[in-house]
Structure formats: C-alpha cells, structure tokens
C-alpha cells in the first residue's frame, strides 16, 4: 500500500490536498447524519447547526494549539509558522477537548442539555475521524514501526504499520456501535459520549505505541497519557450516571 501523493489538484496555483478534503467531508458527513437524527431528540436543527459550527471552529483551533504546545521547539524560532496549518500539525485530542468545551459553553448559554446534544453528534464524530484519518495515508504520516504484515504501508521503500488504517477501522466500528445504541433509546444522556471516550481512548493508547512520530511530555507519549486520563474520567462519569439511572428506575 503506497500513497499516490498529498495533492489532489491545484486551483490558480494553489494546491488542494487530500487531507483537507477528507477532513471537510468528515465534518460535513457528521453534521448531515446528526441533522437526520434530530427527530429522535429535543435538539432543534438550527441549534445543532450553530453548535456544530462553533465546535468545529474551536476544534480546529484546539487541534493546532495542542500540536504547537507539544512541538514548540519547532516553532519557537519562527512564530509565524504557527498559523500555517496547511503545512500540517493538527492533534485530534486538542480538537476534541476544545471542541467539547466550546459546545458545552454554547449549550449552557442556550439552555440546551449538553449531554443530549453530545450523544446526538458523537457517533458522527467517530465517523468523521474514520474518514479524516485517510488524510494521513496521502500525507505519508502518522505511521508506525516496521512490519512484514501483508497490508503494510510503503514509506520511502520501508514497510511500516498503517496506524492510520487501524484507527480508521476502529472509529468506523465505534460509529456503528454508537449508532445502534442511539436508535435503541440508550439509557441516560451522556451514555454515548462516555462510551466514545472509553472506546476511542483504549484504541488510541495501544495504536499510539506503534507510532514513530509521537509527541512526548516528560518522556511519556502524550497521546497515551491523555488517553488514560480521558478513559478514567469517562468511565467514572459513565458509572455514576448509570448508577443514578438504575436507582431512579428502582424508585418508580
């Protein structure tokens, strides 16, 4: 498996890259799917669109900031390069964290149930990640160590783990599982969000161990560290919400 190159086409001398196209397709797909599912919730379509746009903008900013913070040695002598995101450098954890915080602030301001909103969009977020990860394939980045597996990725003549593919497949499975639960009337608001946090974090922790381009914090792969933190937080919140849900049902 070998990338055909990062550039899809050029317009007026400006290169349009597969990575940007795939991220845009992923975001659009998430919004479209979520819009179709609003009928199963109390979230109005206009509120979904407004909240999604705010979360996407915040997510892009968060993804860039996160990457720059953990790679500041690369940018400290050329601060202007921080704003050139076309040259790469987005971290999904930063996007998820700031995007979630922005959505929480929006829901609070508009008096919308944040957990219900999150459960509505999070399956689509997983699908968007599954689509967007293929941008790494075209960019020949986010790959792993050497392997002899038949589906290995060819990077400059070296066969390596296609870690982007592992994550893409896993995120697609998360989308399927969460979508199934969404239509089966999941037990409590936040259930899908917390499950996503646990499922994605578990996968990212192990796949990150295969990568050769990890960002580090005090000698530790920061993606693994943040995955453990997110997993534990989501597990505790899931347990707490489920316990409360069962207790309330027993009373009735």
């Amino acid at each position: 498996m070998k990338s055909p190159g990062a550039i899809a086409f050029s317009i007026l001398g400006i290169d349009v890259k597969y990575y940007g196209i795939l991220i845009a397709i992923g975001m659009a797909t998430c919004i479209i799917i979520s819009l179709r599912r609003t009928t199963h919730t109390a979230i109005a379509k206009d509120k979904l669109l407004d909240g999604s746009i705010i979360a996407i903008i915040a997510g892009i900013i968060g993804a860039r900031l996160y990457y720059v913070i953990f790679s500041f040695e690369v940018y400290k002598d050329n601060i202007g390069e921080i704003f050139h995101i076309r040259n790469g450098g987005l971290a999904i954890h930063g996007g998820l964290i700031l995007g979630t915080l922005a959505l929480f602030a929006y829901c609070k301001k508009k008096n919308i149930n944040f957990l219900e909103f999150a459960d509505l969009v999070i399956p689509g977020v997983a699908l968007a990640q599954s689509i967007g990860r293929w941008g790494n394939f075209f960019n020949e980045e986010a790959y792993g160590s050497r392997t002899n597996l038949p589906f290995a990725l060819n990077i400059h003549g070296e066969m390596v783990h296609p870690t982007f593919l592992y994550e893409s497949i896993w995120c697609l499975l998360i989308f399927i599982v969460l979508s199934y639960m969404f239509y089966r009337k999941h037990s409590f608001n936040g259930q899908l969000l917390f499950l996503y946090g646990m499922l994605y974090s578990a996968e990212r922790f192990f796949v990150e161990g295969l990568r050769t381009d990890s960002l580090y914090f005090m000698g530790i792969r920061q993606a693994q560290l943040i995955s453990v933190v997110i997993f534990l937080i989501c597990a505790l919140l899931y347990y707490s919400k489920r316990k409360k849900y069962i207790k309330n049902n027993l009373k009735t």
Side-chain angles (χ1 to χ4, degrees):
M1 185 164 54
K2 185 174 178 57
S3 167
I7 300 172
F9 55 87
S10 297
I11 300 178
L12 300 176
I14 300 176
D15 293 334
V16 178
K17 298 184 177 181
Y18 285 108
Y19 191 84
I21 293 174
L22 288 166
I23 288 177
I25 291 174
M27 291 177 176
T29 302
C30 174
I31 292 175
I32 291 171
I33 289 175
S34 300
L35 279 171
R36 292 174 62 87
R37 295 179 177 180
T38 53
T39 53
H40 297 271
T41 72
I43 310 297
K45 290 186 176 181
D46 60 330
K47 296 296 189 297
L48 170 68
L49 284 172
D50 291 345
S52 297
I53 291 172
I54 290 171
I56 286 172
I57 293 173
I60 294 173
I61 294 173
R64 183 57 170 173
L65 282 176
Y66 191 95
Y67 184 86
V68 169
I69 289 171
F70 288 101
S71 308
F72 192 67
E73 287 294 319
V74 178
Y75 301 97
K76 67 178 183 179
D77 296 324
N78 188 5
I79 300 300
E81 186 65 21
I82 291 175
F83 303 98
H84 295 166
I85 62 173
R86 278 176 50 81
N87 295 334
L90 298 174
I92 185 62
H93 275 133
L96 291 172
I97 292 169
L98 195 58
T100 300
L101 291 175
L103 182 60
F104 177 81
Y106 170 78
C107 289
K108 188 172 181 62
K109 182 178 180 180
K110 297 295 182 178
N111 197 29
I112 298 172
N113 187 310
F114 164 71
L115 292 179
E116 183 177 15
F117 197 123
D119 280 352
L120 170 61
V121 300
I122 204 63
V125 170
L127 181 58
Q129 286 180 257
S130 180
I131 295 171
R133 269 301 173 193
W134 279 88
N136 298 137
F137 166 67
F138 291 101
N139 281 359
E140 295 187 316
E141 61 187 6
Y143 52 84
S145 54
R146 293 182 182 182
T147 180
N148 294 320
L149 291 172
F151 47 82
L153 182 64
N154 186 332
I155 300 291
H156 309 306
E158 185 175 82
M159 307 309 290
V160 298
H161 280 286
T163 50
F164 81 90
L165 177 61
Y166 303 158
E167 183 153 320
S168 178
I169 293 173
W170 186 253
C171 285
L172 178 60
L173 292 175
I174 291 177
F175 165 72
I176 293 171
V177 170
L178 296 187
S179 294
Y180 174 77
M181 292 185 66
F182 178 86
Y183 285 113
R184 282 183 60 85
K185 303 296 182 183
H186 49 285
S187 303
F188 52 88
N189 287 332
Q191 185 176 19
L192 302 189
L193 175 64
F194 303 145
L195 275 176
Y196 164 85
M198 289 187 284
L199 291 172
Y200 176 65
S201 295
E203 173 272 328
R204 184 60 187 270
F205 180 88
F206 289 105
V207 170
E208 188 67 24
L210 296 173
R211 289 178 58 167
T212 58
D213 62 342
S214 299
L215 300 175
Y216 284 84
F217 175 71
M218 298 180 66
I220 303 173
R221 295 176 191 262
Q222 56 81 15
Q224 290 185 316
L225 179 61
I226 197 67
S227 291
V228 170
V229 172
I230 292 175
F231 182 92
L232 291 175
I233 291 174
C234 288
L236 287 171
L237 290 172
Y238 186 95
Y239 173 78
S240 175
K241 283 283 186 178
R242 179 170 173 77
K243 184 178 180 181
K244 184 177 180 180
Y245 171 79
I246 294 175
K247 183 178 180 180
N248 290 338
N249 277 357
L250 288 175
K251 288 180 178 180
T252 57

